[in-house]
Amino acid sequence: MAPFHLATALFSRIDRYGDRAAIRYRKKDLWQEHSWKSLGEQIRAAARALFALGVGPQEMVALYATNCPEWTIADFAILALRGVVVPIHATNTPKQAEYILDEAEIRIAFVGGKEQYDRIRAVRGGVHGLRRIVVFDSDVDLAGEKSAVHFRDFLAEGRRGEGEDPIAERLQEASPDDLATLIYTSGTTGEPKGVMLNHSNFHQAFIAHEERLAVSDRDISLCFLPLSHVFERTWTYFALNEGMTVVSCDDTAKILEYLQQSRPTIMCAVPRFYEKIYATVFEKLESAPPLKKKLFLWAIGVGWEAFLLRKEQQPLPVLLQLRYKLAEALVLKKIQAAVGGRIRFFPCAGAPLSQKIEEFFHSAGITIAYGYGLTETCATVTCHEQFHFRPGTVGKPILGVQIRIGKDGEIQVKGETVMKGYYKKPAATAEAFTSDGWFRTGDVGIIEEGYLSITDRIKDLMKTSGGKYIAPQLIETLVGNDYYVDQVSIIGNSRPYVTALIVPAFAALEDYAAKHAIPIDSREALVADPWIIAFYAKRIAEHTRDLADYEKIKKFVLLPQPFTQEGGEITPTMKLRRKAISEKYQTLIEKLYE
């Protein structure tokens, strides 16, 4: 058997599935698709064009775009030449993109639309090696830039190429130890670090997922999270490896629309997706007639009873079967229809997920395969099993991965999905591993009966001036579940009590204000309104009522503007940059402690 390589594996699927749909996508509101055969032809054309530009084995090529079929075509074209794919988050600022382009010594970059094209041109002078920019969106005006070309013309260049197929020769020399990708971490506590992942890392992830999850080539996977993120990237590689049809979503704001139109069977999502659905459902329930509310809660209760038995592979008693069919017909099918009606399970990772939200979805007949992983572990450490899993945990280690709890409660990992190291950062690489070779995740957790639970980040843990330890992510998750809350940042380190900076969900808040005749002259005026502040205080107290007194939010301030990547308060993967937030809002924070 030939050594595993992502491109070799994909070409074997192309040969097997031929005219079946490989990728579906929407362009100008019309659904289109690429067959496996068409996908292979375009990958080969792009690879030939890259070869003509002199791309050598293990040369790094950048991808700076939102999700689209072209992303996947370019990705595998680079891999087919044994190149290294360097994704840049589509939302990255020019400065952030410049850092990656410069450190990875990028000569050729694929970019998505006008935003990415303008940003990369803005920093081109500081990236001395950049020679070619390939733009996916053919509507982008290249403004006479001689080094830029539209993707469709780039493919045409490849199709005109002569000579032997460069792919076959390159892949003969391919090795599982080849570097496949360099994924830069978001850098919540410092400069970004390029995580080096080999083809063997992805291969082990595939083996582990095949053992843990029941999937087939009949599944349809909706690609919703950014492909520049390790979670979606690894999963989409896996989906294609299994012969699934991948549906590309290029607009996260329209995700429910995409779900209902494409009706996938699987979709990766982060906890915020489920939190928003949960908050919306229960906000509407608050104003529902008593009988409707009672019926809804009864149906969810019946669903929970059925779930508890099914997850243990136990039969449902006849009476429960009848009750469940009624609950499904009256309530549960409607919830399932909101996410397309065919979801078999949702892989979920990336942040803490409230146990009550997870249990709600299971009760509604929507399975969440909650797991845990990092960029440095190819997004693969633990995951719920198909049966006998425990809600509230992130599951048991997957095949080929070991975990242990080290000093200060840190989760440490060893296995074949763990990275090679950080690019050009030997000191950071050495610091990331223990003396006996275990990767230090920086996350705090506990293991009970083999199940792992995540409690917080080591660097996020706060200690009040009274000596009490605070886990801010727990509090942020509880408050962030609220329908009227968009973002939360907890403050409390070396302080006498816990406070919070809260960004309201303004669409919901403005609707509430209009219904209650509260003036909406501006967002600044709205968040300063005493009625609104009291409204939030009541909701915060309700969400945190089960916390210890020292963990409860004593004071808070509502912010008129959200935390943004451009403002430096969040990373491209939506994680809080706590130091930046504390510095930017220092004056407001000090007032909370007066």
Side-chain angles (χ1 to χ4, degrees):
M1 183 181 292
F4 177 84
H5 189 280
L6 287 165
T8 302
L10 185 78
F11 285 130
S12 72
R13 304 306 182 265
I14 288 167
D15 292 340
R16 180 189 303 177
Y17 295 113
D19 292 328
R20 278 183 52 180
I23 297 179
R24 291 196 183 115
Y25 60 102
R26 206 169 71 172
K27 191 170 185 178
K28 296 181 180 178
D29 294 327
L30 293 176
W31 281 99
Q32 302 181 42
E33 66 180 41
H34 292 313
S35 68
W36 285 90
K37 184 178 179 181
S38 172
L39 177 65
E41 188 279 328
Q42 292 179 81
I43 289 170
R44 289 184 180 279
R48 193 181 290 276
L50 286 170
F51 181 76
L53 291 173
V55 172
Q58 298 293 270
E59 179 174 343
M60 297 186 180
V61 181
L63 260 169
Y64 186 20
T66 55
N67 292 359
C68 58
E70 293 85 353
W71 210 108
T72 300
I73 293 165
D75 188 351
F76 278 99
I78 298 164
L79 294 172
L81 293 178
R82 292 184 61 214
V84 181
V85 182
V86 183
I88 302 174
H89 296 296
T91 54
N92 268 16
T93 64
K95 184 178 179 181
Q96 291 166 335
E98 181 181 16
Y99 179 90
I100 295 171
L101 293 167
D102 185 55
E103 182 170 89
E105 300 177 42
I106 299 296
R107 285 196 310 120
I108 302 165
F110 291 89
V111 303
K114 187 177 186 303
E115 283 187 22
Q116 292 81 34
Y117 180 56
D118 288 345
R119 289 172 190 162
I120 210 167
R121 289 183 70 213
V123 300
R124 180 151 183 207
V127 184
H128 304 297
L130 189 60
R131 293 290 179 268
R132 192 71 157 161
I133 303 170
V134 184
V135 185
F136 292 153
D137 187 349
S138 57
D139 292 332
V140 173
D141 182 0
L142 302 184
E145 179 70 61
K146 292 181 180 180
S147 64
V149 62
H150 286 121
F151 187 70
R152 64 183 181 189
D153 297 325
F154 188 71
L155 291 183
E157 290 176 11
R159 291 179 180 123
R160 289 193 297 269
E162 298 179 357
E164 295 182 7
D165 181 1
I167 293 175
E169 184 178 344
R170 287 286 176 88
L171 291 183
Q172 282 182 354
E173 304 297 323
S175 164
D177 293 329
D178 281 350
L179 191 58
T181 190
L182 191 65
I183 303 179
Y184 278 81
T185 60
S186 301
T188 56
T189 58
E191 66 180 19
K193 298 187 288 289
V195 175
M196 297 187 286
L197 295 175
N198 294 343
H199 289 264
S200 59
N201 294 128
F202 289 102
H203 190 208
Q204 181 58 40
F206 293 176
I207 293 169
H209 281 82
E210 286 172 343
E211 186 271 340
R212 182 59 55 94
L213 302 171
V215 300
S216 77
D217 59 8
R218 296 183 298 277
D219 278 310
I220 298 170
S221 178
L222 179 52
C223 180
F224 157 60
L225 299 176
L227 278 166
S228 54
H229 190 276
V230 70
F231 184 20
E232 186 65 74
R233 180 93 164 289
T234 302
W235 180 265
T236 297
Y237 280 164
F238 175 64
L240 291 170
N241 189 71
E242 300 303 303
M244 299 183 206
T245 296
V246 173
V247 178
S248 179
C249 175
D250 64 349
D251 187 350
T252 56
K254 296 181 179 178
I255 183 56
L256 293 180
E257 188 178 310
Y258 269 81
L259 275 164
Q260 290 161 15
Q261 290 183 9
S262 64
R263 302 188 66 225
T265 58
I266 302 171
M267 186 188 85
C268 292
V270 293
R272 196 60 180 153
F273 171 78
Y274 309 105
E275 290 167 359
K276 286 293 186 182
I277 294 176
Y278 177 88
T280 300
V281 167
F282 279 86
E283 179 60 26
K284 289 180 178 178
L285 194 65
E286 281 188 13
S287 57
L291 186 61
K292 188 174 181 179
K293 186 174 183 178
K294 187 175 181 179
L295 174 64
F296 179 90
L297 295 176
W298 170 82
I300 292 297
V302 171
W304 178 247
E305 289 182 58
F307 162 73
L308 289 176
L309 291 173
R310 285 172 173 164
K311 85 177 181 70
E312 300 302 326
Q313 295 181 285
Q314 296 180 13
L316 272 60
V318 175
L319 182 57
L320 180 55
Q321 287 183 40
L322 295 173
R323 289 166 59 216
Y324 185 81
K325 285 183 179 179
L326 183 60
E328 192 174 45
L330 295 176
V331 175
L332 304 185
K333 280 288 186 184
K334 295 176 183 177
I335 301 173
Q336 295 164 17
V339 291
R342 291 197 304 186
I343 288 290
R344 294 200 305 107
F345 64 89
F346 276 118
C348 174
L353 175 66
S354 164
Q355 184 173 342
K356 73 175 181 180
I357 293 179
E358 182 187 352
E359 291 176 352
F360 165 75
F361 277 90
H362 289 309
S363 301
I366 300 170
T367 300
I368 293 180
Y370 193 23
Y372 167 70
L374 305 93
T375 305
E376 291 89 342
T377 65
C378 212
T380 309
V381 174
T382 67
C383 180
H384 280 340
E385 297 167 295
Q386 187 177 3
F387 300 105
H388 310 294
F389 60 89
R390 186 177 295 179
T393 73
V394 291
K396 294 181 177 180
I398 62 158
L399 187 68
V401 173
Q402 298 173 270
I403 58 173
R404 72 181 186 187
I405 304 300
K407 185 181 178 182
D408 299 325
E410 182 182 42
I411 302 164
Q412 297 175 358
V413 180
K414 179 180 281 189
E416 294 178 44
T417 62
V418 177
M419 68 169 182
K420 183 179 180 180
Y422 295 118
Y423 185 61
K424 292 183 177 178
K425 290 182 171 60
T429 299
E431 187 181 349
F433 289 86
T434 63
S435 57
D436 56 348
W438 289 70
F439 173 67
R440 302 175 58 209
T441 67
D443 290 313
V444 181
I446 55 173
I447 301 173
E448 295 178 325
E449 298 178 12
Y451 296 94
L452 177 66
S453 297
I454 314 296
T455 56
D456 219 285
R457 290 283 298 170
I458 285 178
K459 292 181 179 178
D460 280 354
L461 283 175
M462 298 176 180
K463 188 177 183 181
T464 67
S465 57
K468 299 291 187 179
Y469 281 97
I470 305 293
Q473 285 190 9
L474 169 64
I475 307 170
E476 287 161 355
T477 299
L478 291 172
V479 176
N481 289 342
D482 193 282
Y483 179 68
Y484 292 97
V485 173
D486 186 25
Q487 297 168 315
V488 191
S489 179
I490 292 298
I491 312 296
N493 199 45
S494 301
R495 302 283 189 169
Y497 49 83
V498 174
T499 62
L501 303 178
I502 297 174
V503 178
F506 279 104
L509 179 57
E510 287 166 3
D511 183 55
Y512 172 86
K515 288 178 180 177
H516 292 80
I518 298 172
I520 314 175
D521 299 327
S522 67
R523 286 186 173 182
E524 286 76 8
L526 188 60
V527 298
D529 187 285
W531 287 99
I532 295 298
I533 294 171
F535 172 68
Y536 274 88
K538 181 179 178 181
R539 299 182 77 89
I540 291 168
E542 184 177 334
H543 289 306
T544 59
R545 64 182 180 274
D546 294 328
L547 294 177
D549 188 62
Y550 64 84
E551 295 175 300
K552 292 179 179 178
I553 297 170
K554 299 297 189 289
K555 294 182 181 181
F556 65 91
V557 63
L558 300 176
L559 301 177
Q561 300 297 331
F563 301 133
T564 65
Q565 187 181 345
E566 292 75 17
E569 302 101 336
I570 58 173
T571 73
T573 52
M574 309 305 290
K575 294 181 178 67
L576 297 175
R577 295 186 191 271
R578 297 188 188 279
K579 183 179 178 182
I581 290 171
S582 294
E583 290 173 354
K584 183 170 183 176
Y585 294 99
Q586 183 179 0
T587 301
L588 276 178
I589 292 169
E590 292 304 326
K591 287 183 179 179
L592 292 172
Y593 291 96
E594 290 178 351

